[in-house]
Amino acid sequence: MMNYLTAGESHGPQLTGIIEGIPSGLHLDVDAINAQLKKRQGGYGRGNRQKIEHDEVTITGGVRHGITLGSPIAMVVQNRDHAHWNEIMDPVSPETPENTLRKVERPRPGHADLVGGMKYRHEDLRNVLERSSARETAIRVAIGAVCKQFLEQLGIQIVGYVEQIGQISTDENPELDVTKIENEIEQNDLRIIDQSKVDSIHDLIDQTKRDGDTLGGIIRVVATNVPAGLGSYISWDTKLDGKLAAAVMGVNAMKGVEIGDGFKAAASFGSQVMDEIDWNQQDGFFRNTDHLGGFEGGMTNGMPIIVKAAMKPIPTLYKPLQSVDIQTKEVKKANVERSDTTAIVPASIVIESVVAIELAKALTDKFDGDNLQRLQEQLAQYRDELKKF
């Protein structure tokens, strides 16, 4: 069974990730992992920290001569900004007046600061925000990049991109061809399909930054050539769409998930939403449409998987909102940390990554996950079996 764990703080020495359950025999391209990390750092509306960090992964276990061993894979991404926080974020030195100068006592509305402090009895809310920071997603993208390479070896393509920023929608005619989507979104710094919207969104982000405010948006992920039958209908916790929804909601700032037409389907008639079934000798069973986003009964049905995520605006505002000092209980403005005007572009890489991770988990659950070649053989037999049903 595949699983993963991450560790590390935003301004700590490094981020660490361990993946358990990746089959042996996968040729791992480190440059491709670093390319995903670079994409996560990009995008219009990002803050100054991205000028400091140049994320690159170091693999410290589970891989030999570029090939996975089947043992846990350990990876590290260094935090270059830690050099400016060495004393404040030192893991072992005792607390002194000097290394608590950046103490946080005015929680930000919409962030984990206050509730995290209450839960873990932290008097310095930096102990909360350092881990709850979206910086952690860098190592999740590295893990997702490994899973994406695994999926590619099984003929499965996946891409995440931006469908909406603020109130500006960029995807009037949603595309299902992953290659076409990738070709379009690589032409701009917003990862959007509609090139005609780039200037207006740049203007919106610029004005929002001048206002000291932030923006959210909507992300869309498409995965194609996923075999039918991943997940199960037999129990609530075996439904793969439920696992995907949980993974998406586990990403910082996500406040909503849709599968397929999602909330639009709720306002439609059944005849407009159900994907009619068809058959031909070459492909076997298929659907003529994909309103349900590739899922029926919690199981993949062979159609492209479509997952959408709604991201709230970032809670760190340069014109901060009202808060209360946790020590004096005085009403004050919230703490200000370095942040972005919008992180919707890198978030599209993160959501792509967590969807890739869950699909990789589902495949290693269903087939023999010890060795890649054996899994490929089993998957090929299974695909053939489905065509003949």
Side-chain angles (χ1 to χ4, degrees):
M1 180 178 179
M2 200 194 109
N3 210 342
Y4 74 97
L5 183 70
T6 74
E9 283 68 51
S10 180
H11 296 100
Q14 65 185 41
L15 299 168
T16 303
I18 297 178
I19 325 172
E20 185 179 28
I22 292 291
S24 69
L26 172 64
H27 288 260
L28 207 55
D29 184 347
V30 176
D31 290 339
I33 299 174
N34 288 332
Q36 285 292 95
L37 289 171
K38 184 176 181 180
K39 288 179 182 179
R40 179 198 163 276
Q41 289 194 277
Y44 203 79
R46 292 287 258 156
N48 290 328
R49 182 166 186 181
Q50 306 316 312
K51 298 176 183 178
I52 300 172
E53 302 292 355
H54 300 284
D55 291 341
E56 291 186 345
V57 71
T58 300
I59 298 175
T60 60
V63 180
R64 187 183 183 205
H65 306 312
I67 301 174
T68 58
L69 303 176
S71 50
I73 298 172
M75 299 189 295
V76 168
V77 174
Q78 299 292 334
N79 289 329
R80 295 193 181 192
D81 202 20
H82 177 67
H84 304 114
W85 294 75
N86 188 37
E87 291 186 5
I88 295 172
M89 294 302 299
D90 191 302
V92 295
S93 65
E95 187 176 287
T96 66
E98 290 75 22
N99 64 25
T100 56
L101 291 176
R102 299 295 295 271
K103 194 172 184 178
V104 177
E105 298 179 330
R106 292 170 287 127
R108 293 162 291 174
H111 209 283
D113 301 351
L114 178 58
V115 180
M118 295 166 69
K119 176 179 174 65
Y120 291 101
R121 288 190 176 181
H122 290 311
E123 294 185 0
D124 182 356
L125 301 183
R126 180 160 301 284
N127 293 337
V128 178
L129 66 89
E130 284 290 332
R131 179 57 183 175
S132 64
S133 165
R135 175 68 187 155
E136 180 270 345
T137 62
I139 196 67
R140 262 194 280 181
V141 166
I143 292 169
V146 172
C147 292
K148 187 174 180 180
Q149 291 185 45
F150 169 59
L151 295 178
E152 287 170 352
Q153 290 296 306
L154 303 177
I156 296 170
Q157 289 184 296
I158 183 170
V159 65
Y161 67 100
V162 176
E163 185 178 81
Q164 182 174 323
I165 299 179
Q167 294 184 344
I168 302 178
S169 177
T170 69
D171 202 1
E172 302 300 331
N173 298 297
E175 177 63 64
L176 291 177
D177 187 315
V178 170
T179 301
K180 286 183 180 179
I181 294 171
E182 288 177 334
N183 289 339
E184 290 295 330
I185 63 177
E186 292 297 329
Q187 296 180 39
N188 60 73
D189 56 6
L190 296 168
R191 288 183 70 82
I192 62 173
I193 288 179
D194 189 347
Q195 310 300 327
S196 69
K197 301 288 182 66
V198 171
D199 289 343
S200 60
I201 293 176
H202 281 175
D203 291 343
L204 173 63
I205 294 172
D206 292 342
Q207 184 59 52
T208 302
K209 183 177 181 179
R210 288 192 290 268
D211 293 341
D213 219 326
T214 56
L215 289 164
I218 296 175
I219 295 156
R220 186 171 183 258
V221 176
V222 178
T224 56
N225 201 31
V226 179
L230 299 184
S232 176
Y233 62 89
I234 62 172
S235 184
W236 68 270
D237 58 349
T238 62
K239 294 175 183 286
L240 181 55
D241 50 0
K243 293 178 181 180
L244 284 172
V248 169
M249 289 299 291
V251 175
N252 310 54
M254 298 303 147
K255 300 300 287 185
V257 185
E258 283 189 352
I259 306 294
D261 287 355
F263 291 102
K264 180 183 175 182
S268 305
F269 293 104
S271 58
Q272 298 171 312
V273 172
M274 304 310 150
D275 301 310
E276 293 186 314
I277 299 170
D278 210 334
W279 182 90
N280 64 42
Q281 193 165 5
Q282 179 180 348
D283 303 310
F285 288 101
F286 63 93
R287 310 302 187 278
N288 289 312
T289 55
D290 196 22
H291 298 296
L292 300 181
F295 281 95
E296 291 171 331
M299 302 169 290
T300 54
N301 62 12
M303 295 297 289
I305 290 176
I306 302 169
V307 181
K308 288 186 184 181
M311 181 182 187
K312 71 180 181 183
I314 294 169
T316 296
L317 305 180
Y318 284 104
K319 289 185 178 178
L321 300 174
Q322 177 183 303
S323 184
V324 175
D325 188 295
I326 63 171
Q327 299 299 333
T328 67
K329 305 304 188 287
E330 295 178 271
V331 174
K332 293 184 177 181
K333 293 295 184 181
N335 194 68
V336 177
E337 292 284 315
R338 182 173 50 197
S339 186
D340 307 321
T341 303
T342 182
I344 190 71
V345 178
S348 67
I349 301 294
V350 179
I351 300 301
E352 172 188 295
S353 298
V354 299
V355 172
I357 291 169
E358 292 306 312
L359 292 180
K361 283 183 182 180
L363 285 157
T364 54
D365 283 349
K366 186 169 183 61
F367 303 102
D368 187 333
D370 293 336
N371 175 265
L372 177 62
Q373 184 177 354
R374 188 183 300 127
L375 194 155
Q376 289 171 323
E377 292 167 355
Q378 291 180 358
L379 177 58
Q381 292 172 0
Y382 179 69
R383 289 186 188 276
D384 189 54
E385 176 189 332
L386 294 178
K387 287 180 182 180
K388 295 176 180 177
F389 182 81

